[in-house]
Amino acid sequence: MIQYEPYLLKGIDLTVKINKEIEYQNEFIEKVRKLNEGKKLTYSIITMGCQLNENDSEKICGMIEKMGYSRVDESKNADLAVMNTCCVRENAEDRLFGKLGELKKVKEEKGTIIAIGGCMMQEKHIQDKLKKSYPYFDIIFGTHTLHKFPEDLYNALKDKKRIEDVIDIDGEIYEGIPIKRDDKLKASVTIMYGCNNFCSYCIVPYVRGRERSRKPEDIIEEIEYLAKQGYKEITLLGQNVNSYNGGENYNFANLLHDVNKIEGINRIRFTSPHPKDFTEDVIKAIKECDKVCKTIHLPLQAGSTKVLKAMNRKYTKEQYLELAQRIKKEIPEIVFSTDIIVGFPGETEEDFEDTLDVVRKMNYEQVYMFIYSRRVGTPGDKMENQIPEEIKHERFNRLKALVETQTEKNGEKYVGSEQKILVEGTSKNNENMLTGRTETNKVVVFSGDTELIGKVIDVKIVRNAVWYLQGEIEIIHQLSKI
Ligand code: SAH
Ligand code: SF4
Ligand code: F3S
């Protein structure tokens, strides 16, 4: 286990700690640079998890590129292969082992450094499995030691020994980690880390530690900087953003208002809020802040009050529906998206019908559907009334069919309407077409000049192609270029 410097111990002033730690890591960035001088090294990264995990990967890339590596797509061509893992469901885990199998030969031939980080590394049984069955990895690092990647890499390169840098703590916040963002227009900004909710199916609180919020001034400063660089859309990230705590009398609603004031930013999104913490002031802030997209991801998880209780979600079916109604009354143009788990232990046919019932009533714009996956160490895993796989799959397919019909119908209602689109670039399938998204996050494809990229423009929707909408731009945008 890595020894921490005294200033990293709890109870010491945060700012001092952060600055010193990141300064300390910057020294390792320099050391690795020197070690690799003139070598033209490459790295690859695979990101397996959620948006927070993606944001972490951008930080990993930032540190690695500062150390002089340049990015390649394929890990078989890389001198340093990084995997940023997720353990929220079993299929996320399987991807890692498959990839490690492939990398064994690459390492033997090329001496590739294999570094594995992220949520899965926080699990003891996974660390054991790696050491037993995949002992050829070079570095493992967890969610609480991401910022120490330069030090870990330096030690791995210098001493040619395996580094295991995973600690199990409530977690800290480190400001000032270099970051290399994937996109030039849209940026994610993590506003809080960890989770206190302990939903009984979920591994996240065990691998991410307790909730801790960044200071409002640090968040604002980061977004102001992004605006200066030309970013137009910001997504505020956290496992439970509406329990953001920016200090006395400063909550998520205050943050929305402050981000809304930042010049140059056109759109603000956030994910995920928890229905139990959706306060009136947050609803009001969404309504009042013109840049906040009128679309809310409101994770349902299950429609049955009994299942919700067993999941430890702290709201009933009726409270969820009532909250959605209240939001809709305040902001009539609002649309919702959601996450749903099917087949949680004890879910009866009747319970599942409740989920379908909520889906029908809510008419979601988008539904992320998951089959319940047992996670070691969670209360859900110890429950005796687990649902057989075939029933889980059968319910999943029924939910999927309902959602697909709704999505198709929802697409129809756009046809003929005028939508504000942030033009993101040329379409992947057709270079002559532009693509962008509505406030409600629907992809729109239309023809127009590439000069429009980065602008928010009005587009008329002419056809619903289910997975995207086809649009036509207003003549005024064409004329304004002349
Ligand atoms: N903090 C976010 C979600 C984080 S995980 C929230 O509360 O909304 C993303 C989604 O994965 C969850 O919303 C849930 O639907 C799903 N999920 C989490 N644990 C799961 C499990 N054990 N099995 C299946 N799906 C799960
Ligand atoms: Fe998991 Fe629940 Fe926390 Fe979301 S709120 S991360 S589902 S424990
Ligand atoms: Fe995200 Fe997966 Fe971790 S969903 S927080 S990367 S367990």
Side-chain angles (χ1 to χ4, degrees):
M1 192 64 66
I2 302 288
Q3 280 299 311
Y4 272 78
E5 299 290 323
Y7 57 78
L8 272 175
L9 296 174
K10 280 187 183 167
I12 306 219
D13 183 274
L14 255 182
T15 338
V16 174
K17 187 166 34 180
I18 290 161
N19 292 343
K20 281 206 174 168
E21 176 59 19
I22 297 304
E23 268 169 31
Y24 186 59
Q25 291 305 319
N26 284 340
E27 288 172 22
F28 286 101
I29 289 183
E30 276 313 307
K31 283 184 182 172
V32 176
R33 256 193 110 85
K34 285 222 175 81
L35 212 62
N36 289 337
E37 216 150 37
K39 285 192 189 153
K40 286 210 165 117
L41 297 179
T42 57
Y43 80 100
S44 65
I45 186 160
I46 300 174
T47 306
M48 297 168 173
C50 61
Q51 283 168 283
L52 285 148
N53 188 251
E54 283 171 10
N55 196 224
D56 283 348
S57 281
E58 292 180 325
K59 292 175 189 160
I60 299 171
C61 292
M63 293 185 276
I64 295 179
E65 295 200 7
K66 268 196 137 180
M67 291 188 274
Y69 291 79
S70 50
R71 187 162 171 179
V72 289
D73 288 339
E74 298 274 345
S75 39
K76 64 174 192 293
N77 301 327
D79 299 295
L80 166 64
V82 185
M83 278 149 285
N84 193 11
T85 61
C86 168
C87 52
V88 80
R89 289 172 291 275
E90 195 175 354
N91 53 8
E93 283 183 359
D94 294 342
R95 261 188 86 192
L96 174 71
F97 298 123
K99 196 69 210 170
L100 277 175
E102 282 171 34
L103 277 176
K104 186 167 191 232
K105 225 174 133 235
V106 179
K107 181 162 181 81
E108 281 164 6
E109 284 167 7
K110 243 182 97 112
T112 306
I113 301 279
I114 301 175
I116 321 166
C119 293
M120 213 173 144
M121 295 307 106
Q122 296 292 139
E123 297 185 293
K124 178 78 175 60
H125 69 280
I126 296 289
Q127 291 172 24
D128 294 343
K129 182 168 173 173
L130 283 174
K131 280 187 251 182
K132 189 159 167 269
S133 310
Y134 306 87
Y136 47 89
F137 70 82
D138 296 278
I139 303 169
I140 58 172
F141 59 104
T143 56
H144 304 298
T145 45
L146 174 135
H147 63 285
K148 287 180 65 215
F149 189 73
E151 182 179 350
D152 292 339
L153 180 62
Y154 178 74
N155 288 332
L157 291 170
K158 186 173 71 70
D159 302 336
K160 302 212 165 24
K161 65 169 197 223
R162 200 165 76 187
I163 307 290
E164 290 162 33
D165 188 8
V166 182
I167 50 167
D168 189 13
I169 51 168
D170 284 354
E172 300 289 0
I173 292 180
Y174 297 98
E175 296 292 348
I177 302 175
I179 184 158
K180 175 80 185 6
R181 293 177 190 274
D182 286 339
D183 200 278
K184 298 262 171 290
L185 291 174
K186 303 195 287 184
S188 297
V189 174
T190 301
I191 62 165
M192 58 180 299
Y193 297 87
C195 181
N196 289 353
N197 292 317
F198 291 93
C199 302
S200 60
Y201 50 81
C202 187
I203 195 74
V204 172
Y206 304 89
V207 296
R208 287 268 173 184
R210 296 294 66 72
E211 281 178 8
R212 55 229 186 255
S213 298
R214 289 176 69 194
K215 288 183 187 156
E217 57 270 30
D218 291 334
I219 298 170
I220 302 294
E221 198 178 297
E222 181 176 350
I223 301 175
E224 281 173 345
Y225 178 70
L226 289 167
K228 282 198 193 98
Q229 287 186 309
Y231 283 91
K232 300 289 172 203
E233 182 176 306
I234 299 296
T235 303
L236 306 173
L237 293 181
Q239 292 298 356
N240 182 2
V241 286
N242 47 12
S243 66
Y244 172 78
N245 177 1
E248 220 176 310
N249 299 323
Y250 196 101
N251 64 10
F252 185 56
N254 301 112
L255 184 67
L256 283 179
H257 279 289
D258 281 346
V259 177
N260 197 60
K261 289 181 203 139
I262 300 176
E263 222 175 288
I265 298 300
N266 289 330
R267 280 185 168 176
I268 303 161
R269 300 185 191 275
F270 57 88
T271 198
S272 292
H274 193 302
K276 79 175 165 61
D277 298 312
F278 222 111
T279 47
E280 290 304 315
D281 53 356
V282 172
I283 302 176
K284 227 169 133 234
I286 299 169
K287 182 182 172 169
E288 288 170 1
C289 297
D290 58 328
K291 296 176 186 173
V292 174
C293 291
K294 304 300 179 252
T295 167
I296 297 176
H297 185 68
L298 198 62
L300 170 70
Q301 312 300 2
S304 140
T305 296
K306 185 197 93 191
V307 174
L308 285 168
K309 192 163 191 333
M311 284 179 162
N312 193 28
R313 288 292 290 179
K314 302 196 172 78
Y315 52 85
T316 63
K317 174 187 181 185
E318 290 70 28
Q319 282 166 337
Y320 181 93
L321 288 168
E322 191 268 331
L323 168 66
Q325 249 176 7
R326 223 166 348 117
I327 299 174
K328 191 111 195 154
K329 199 163 154 245
E330 276 296 314
I331 317 163
E333 71 271 34
I334 206 86
V335 299
F336 293 103
S337 61
T338 202
D339 286 358
I340 292 175
I341 299 175
V342 297
F344 184 77
E347 182 188 75
T348 62
E349 179 57 28
E350 216 185 340
D351 294 323
F352 177 64
E353 283 294 336
D354 270 327
T355 298
L356 298 179
D357 185 44
V358 177
V359 172
R360 280 189 207 103
K361 289 192 168 114
M362 290 291 296
N363 194 21
Y364 295 108
E365 196 73 16
Q366 206 168 5
V367 183
Y368 299 90
M369 298 165 272
F370 307 106
I371 290 175
Y372 171 67
S373 172
R374 294 174 78 162
R375 303 288 75 206
V376 174
T378 61
D381 186 40
K382 293 178 201 94
M383 292 179 185
E384 272 163 20
N385 41 7
Q386 301 287 332
I387 307 294
E389 284 304 315
E390 62 275 18
I391 296 183
K392 286 195 216 171
H393 279 91
E394 184 259 342
R395 286 182 189 160
F396 181 85
N397 290 337
R398 275 159 66 199
L399 174 64
K400 193 163 157 258
L402 171 63
V403 168
E404 277 170 1
T405 338
Q406 277 194 341
T407 318
E408 199 174 329
K409 271 211 202 112
N410 278 336
E412 288 303 327
K413 74 173 189 246
Y414 285 88
V415 179
S417 72
E418 193 106 317
Q419 297 288 324
K420 290 228 173 304
I421 308 293
L422 171 64
V423 188
E424 292 175 9
T426 52
S427 162
K428 268 192 201 131
N429 300 326
N430 181 351
E431 286 227 339
N432 300 317
M433 301 292 271
L434 293 177
T435 174
R437 279 174 194 264
T438 61
E439 268 203 32
T440 54
N441 227 356
K442 280 249 180 208
V443 176
V444 181
V445 178
F446 52 98
S447 95
D449 197 283
T450 47
E451 272 179 28
L452 294 172
I453 294 171
K455 299 205 166 80
V456 176
I457 61 165
D458 288 322
V459 174
K460 189 170 173 150
I461 306 303
V462 292
R463 192 171 74 91
N464 171 28
V466 186
W467 297 116
Y468 68 93
L469 300 168
Q470 198 178 314
E472 276 173 8
I473 53 174
E474 292 283 289
I475 196 83
I476 191 156
H477 295 300
Q478 308 273 26
L479 289 175
S480 65
K481 289 190 282 115
I482 301 170

